[in-house]
Amino acid sequence: MLGQIASSVSQTIYRLGIWYSGYRLIISVSLILIYVLTAEQLGNNYQYPFLYFYTLLCYTCVNIFQLFLLKLLPLQITKQLIFVFIVDVICLSLITFSAGGPNLQLSLLYVIIIFSSAILLNAQLSLIVTLFAVIMVVYQRFLGNFFDYNNLNHLGNSALLAFLFFVVHAIGRIAVQRFKILEQQETDKMDEWEKINLELEEIEGEQL
C-alpha cells in the first residue's frame, strides 16, 4: 500500500513538472514575441535590450531541452526539477536586470517560480530556491543603488519583493502539508475499508 502511494505521488510530481515545463516554454516564447512586435515602439523601456532579447532566446532553447529531457528520460525527477528552477531564477534575474528592475509582470513570474518550487520540491530544496531568488533580486539593486539616495526607493521595492518570496514559499509549504493530510486521510479510509472487507470475508467463511 505504501509503495503504491509513493508511486502515485511520484507520478503526480512528474506530471506537474511536465506541465510547469510547458508553461515556462510558453512564457519564454510569448516574451520573445512581445519584444519582437514592440521593440520599435518600446525599445527605450529596456535598459539593455540586446541582453534582454538574447537572454530570452537562450532561456527558450534551454526550456525546450529540459522539457524533452524530462519527457524522454523520466529519471531523477527531483534533480531535473532543481535545475529547472535554477535556470528559471537565473534567466528571470537577467531579464529583470536588462529591463531596468522588477515590475509587476516579472514579479508575478518570480512568485509563480517560488510557489511551484514549494509544491514540486521538498521543504529544504524549495527554501534554497527561494533564498537563491531573493539573492538574485536584491543584489541587483543593493549593489547599484546602495550609495544612490535617489534610488533607495527601488531598493525598498526589491526588499519588499524578497519578503513576498518568503510569504509565497510559506503558503506553498502550507498547501503541501494540507495535501499530505488529505492524502493520509484517504489512505486511512482505504485501510479501514480493507479491514472491513477482510472481516466480512472471514465471517462468510465461518458461515460456510
Side-chain angles (χ1 to χ4, degrees):
M1 176 64 67
L2 292 178
Q4 294 177 353
I5 295 173
S7 177
S8 176
V9 172
S10 299
Q11 289 296 322
T12 301
I13 295 296
Y14 174 70
R15 287 196 296 269
L16 290 175
I18 292 293
W19 293 346
Y20 177 77
S21 298
Y23 147 80
R24 63 204 286 263
L25 179 58
I26 293 173
I27 290 296
S28 61
V29 172
S30 300
L31 288 175
I32 289 178
L33 291 176
I34 291 173
Y35 176 81
V36 171
L37 294 176
T38 62
E40 294 183 359
Q41 296 83 4
L42 304 177
N44 295 329
N45 292 346
Y46 304 99
Q47 188 171 359
Y48 303 102
F50 288 104
L51 177 61
Y52 184 89
F53 176 74
Y54 286 109
T55 299
L56 283 175
L57 196 61
C58 293
Y59 185 41
T60 302
C61 294
V62 174
N63 285 345
I64 294 173
F65 173 76
Q66 290 184 315
L67 177 59
F68 276 101
L69 186 64
L70 197 60
K71 287 281 290 183
L72 300 177
L73 296 175
L75 303 173
Q76 298 181 334
I77 303 303
T78 300
K79 291 184 178 180
Q80 291 197 51
L81 291 176
I82 291 173
F83 284 110
V84 163
F85 289 116
I86 289 176
V87 169
D88 284 350
V89 173
I90 292 175
C91 291
L92 190 55
S93 297
L94 289 174
I95 292 170
T96 302
F97 175 77
S98 59
N103 53 42
L104 179 60
Q105 294 82 2
L106 296 177
S107 299
L108 180 60
L109 295 180
Y110 269 116
V111 168
I112 294 174
I113 292 173
I114 300 301
F115 187 79
S116 299
S117 68
I119 296 295
L120 298 177
L121 302 176
N122 60 42
Q124 293 179 342
L125 294 176
S126 62
L127 180 59
I128 291 174
V129 173
T130 302
L131 292 174
F132 185 50
V134 168
I135 293 172
M136 294 297 287
V137 167
V138 173
Y139 92 96
Q140 300 176 29
R141 291 297 179 182
F142 184 80
L143 294 179
N145 300 326
F146 185 73
F147 297 105
D148 188 354
Y149 294 99
N150 294 325
N151 290 325
L152 286 180
N153 185 46
H154 295 295
L155 180 60
N157 292 337
S158 297
L160 181 61
L161 182 60
F163 174 74
L164 178 62
F165 289 171
F166 287 109
V167 173
V168 172
H169 173 265
I171 293 174
R173 295 313 306 173
I174 292 172
V176 170
Q177 293 300 322
R178 180 58 180 169
F179 292 150
K180 289 182 178 179
I181 292 173
L182 294 174
E183 185 179 23
Q184 185 61 43
Q185 291 176 348
E186 292 296 325
T187 303
D188 294 339
K189 290 180 180 179
M190 292 176 62
D191 291 338
E192 291 178 1
W193 279 109
E194 287 184 356
K195 290 180 180 179
I196 294 173
N197 289 332
L198 289 174
E199 292 176 357
L200 291 175
E201 290 177 359
E202 291 177 356
I203 294 174
E204 290 178 355
E206 292 176 356
Q207 291 178 349
L208 295 175

